[in-house]
Amino acid sequence: DVRHDEFGILQNELFSSEAPKGLRNEWKNLLLPPMSKIRNYFGEKIAMYFGFLSFYTLMLIIPSFFCIPVFVVKVMLGGDEASNVMNTLYSFAMIIWAT
């Protein structure tokens, strides 16, 4: 019983022994997948999905660099005033980043 998903791909096809070894060996970095090999093996729609997913993940790393110092300062200073100031600064940083 072979089942396909909505894109016509075998459900266990990515990790099967039939997948090209070059694709399996190169796809170790989740942030930069081998797009041309993904496109050649899975097709345009799946390649676009993984391209968007890697771009989105990379872009979410940027706000995390702002968030870590904000969290550390809030924990060290404590209190509602420090929390409000840090939340405001973080909000402005995210507004600038998003535009």
Side-chain angles (χ1 to χ4, degrees):
D1 181 30
V2 176
R3 295 186 310 179
H4 291 77
D5 64 2
E6 61 190 272
F7 297 107
I9 297 175
L10 289 171
Q11 288 185 351
N12 200 14
E13 191 169 308
L14 178 60
F15 301 106
S16 71
S17 60
E18 298 172 10
K21 290 185 180 185
L23 179 61
R24 285 191 291 163
N25 292 336
E26 286 185 33
W27 203 342
K28 297 189 189 231
N29 185 354
L30 295 177
L31 296 178
L32 298 170
M35 296 305 299
S36 61
K37 290 190 177 189
I38 292 172
R39 186 192 70 226
N40 292 340
Y41 187 70
F42 291 108
E44 294 284 331
K45 290 180 182 179
I46 303 298
M48 285 294 292
Y49 170 75
F50 282 107
F52 168 75
L53 198 61
S54 65
F55 173 77
Y56 187 67
T57 304
L58 282 170
M59 290 299 108
L60 286 177
I61 291 173
I62 295 169
S64 70
F65 288 125
F66 291 111
C67 182
I68 293 169
V70 168
F71 176 75
V72 169
V73 170
K74 282 172 59 174
V75 168
M76 288 174 44
L77 295 178
D80 289 335
E81 265 187 53
S83 180
N84 289 338
V85 170
M86 293 309 291
N87 285 341
T88 304
L89 291 174
Y90 182 72
S91 298
F92 281 121
M94 291 301 97
I95 289 169
I96 291 169
W97 173 78
T99 56

